[in-house]
Amino acid sequence: LKARVIETEKAQMLSEMAASISHEIRNPLTSTKGFLQLLQNDSLSKKEEEFYIKLALDGIDQANNVITDYLTFAKPATISYERILLQEEIRRAVRFVTPLASASNITIKAEYSLIRAYTYGEKQRFHQCLLNILKNSIEAMPTGGTLSISLRVEQFTPSLLITDTGIGMNEEQLNRLGSPFYSTKEKGTGLGMMVVFSILQAMNAKLAISSKQNDGTSIHITFARMKKVAI
Ligand code: ADP
Ligand code: MG
């Protein structure tokens, strides 16, 4: 019954979101089309040509980002509710973002509990959730820093702490985090954290975020209590 309620809420939210998402994808595509049309003009200088090509490519990137931040979430639920081994999924997500982190001189420090921590949910969505969080942390440290990831189990309850030494957020930014299309980035989609909130909610996980401007951000996720533990 519970899964069904979540599905219904999500379906409703998805239909509300669909209109705005199309808009967010169509906008950059329209500008790309405009720049490509400008490029049909033979009398452009090499410089102008390069400029329009860059703008056209930016539009495609932007549309692509909207799809990446949102797609796994919007995809119909074909995967069922399954056991997720947290160590495994976190390692997979870390592997995924390591090239991105290295490109910005970011050191990743990850530590895992000895107890095998697990939770329940949809693996692919949880993967998307981790990627959206890790990507934000990396994007908050354009000139390098440390990304710390720590998985712990206390009293049968797994928790994950993700901390960056990035630009941080002020109170207003922190309050707006997770509202659709709220972004402070030039090429942001403002969809990443909304998807994170929604996925974690469906997993019965709690999220706490603290941040200090010019200092960094900590994301603390507490998962549902485990019924039994295995070492
Ligand atoms: P996007 O990354 O596309 O901007 P998100 O929903 O992922 O959209 O994030 C929304 C906003 O929240 C970001 O634009 C940024 O201002 C802020 N934010 C999220 N995570 C962090 C972080 N780790 N450090 C600093 N700011 C963050
Ligand atoms: Mg993001």
Side-chain angles (χ1 to χ4, degrees):
L1 183 65
K2 194 164 177 196
R4 197 121 116 236
V5 173
I6 291 166
E7 282 305 311
T8 315
E9 275 172 8
K10 206 180 65 198
Q12 203 172 341
M13 189 174 131
L14 279 177
S15 70
E16 282 165 21
M17 293 293 303
S20 8
I21 301 283
S22 325
H23 177 80
E24 292 302 307
I25 295 174
R26 192 168 288 135
N27 264 352
L29 290 183
T30 305
S31 71
T32 294
K33 186 175 174 184
F35 293 122
L36 291 178
Q37 281 165 340
L38 286 174
L39 277 164
Q40 285 175 326
N41 182 342
D42 299 328
S43 59
L44 292 176
S45 70
K46 183 90 187 123
K47 253 218 162 95
E48 283 170 321
E49 251 181 49
E50 278 168 7
F51 184 61
Y52 291 144
I53 289 173
K54 188 191 171 299
L55 291 174
L57 289 175
D58 281 352
I60 292 173
D61 282 343
Q62 176 64 9
N64 202 17
N65 287 342
V66 173
I67 294 167
T68 315
D69 279 1
Y70 194 69
L71 189 68
T72 315
F73 177 72
K75 206 173 68 178
T78 47
I79 323 141
S80 57
Y81 207 60
E82 61 200 319
R83 183 190 276 240
I84 296 173
L85 293 173
L86 290 168
Q87 270 95 337
E88 211 169 85
E89 281 313 305
I90 295 163
R91 281 207 174 92
R92 182 156 82 99
V94 168
R95 265 202 308 275
F96 212 87
V97 300
T98 296
L100 205 62
S102 311
S104 295
N105 269 324
I106 294 166
T107 313
I108 301 184
K109 289 184 181 155
E111 53 175 43
Y112 302 92
S113 60
L114 293 175
I115 295 169
R116 269 154 59 91
Y118 64 85
T119 191
Y120 290 92
E122 287 178 34
K123 219 181 256 182
Q124 198 48 41
R125 293 215 165 112
F126 183 57
H127 181 66
Q128 167 107 52
C129 167
L130 291 176
L131 289 188
N132 287 1
I133 294 173
L134 295 174
K135 260 168 46 188
N136 279 342
S137 287
I138 292 169
E139 285 161 5
M141 301 185 283
T143 56
T146 307
L147 175 57
S148 310
I149 296 150
S150 163
L151 175 66
R152 286 174 208 170
V153 179
E154 266 163 54
Q155 291 171 337
F156 298 88
T157 306
S159 68
L160 175 64
L161 185 66
I162 298 173
T163 302
D164 66 60
T165 57
I167 53 173
M169 285 172 271
N170 62 27
E171 211 178 311
E172 199 235 329
Q173 291 172 318
L174 197 54
N175 286 335
R176 294 188 62 187
L177 188 71
S179 335
F181 309 115
Y182 169 66
S183 176
T184 57
K185 297 168 196 170
E186 201 190 324
K187 290 182 182 177
T189 66
L191 289 172
M193 286 309 286
M194 181 201 74
V195 168
V196 166
F197 285 14
S198 159
I199 293 172
L200 291 177
Q201 194 185 7
M203 292 171 69
N204 276 325
K206 303 262 176 297
L207 180 64
I209 305 170
S210 57
S211 189
K212 201 174 161 215
Q213 227 167 2
N214 304 318
D215 202 33
T217 301
S218 284
I219 310 257
H220 194 224
I221 304 170
T222 310
F223 297 95
R225 193 173 195 270
M226 301 187 293
K227 295 217 165 55
K228 49 183 185 223
V229 295
I231 294 177

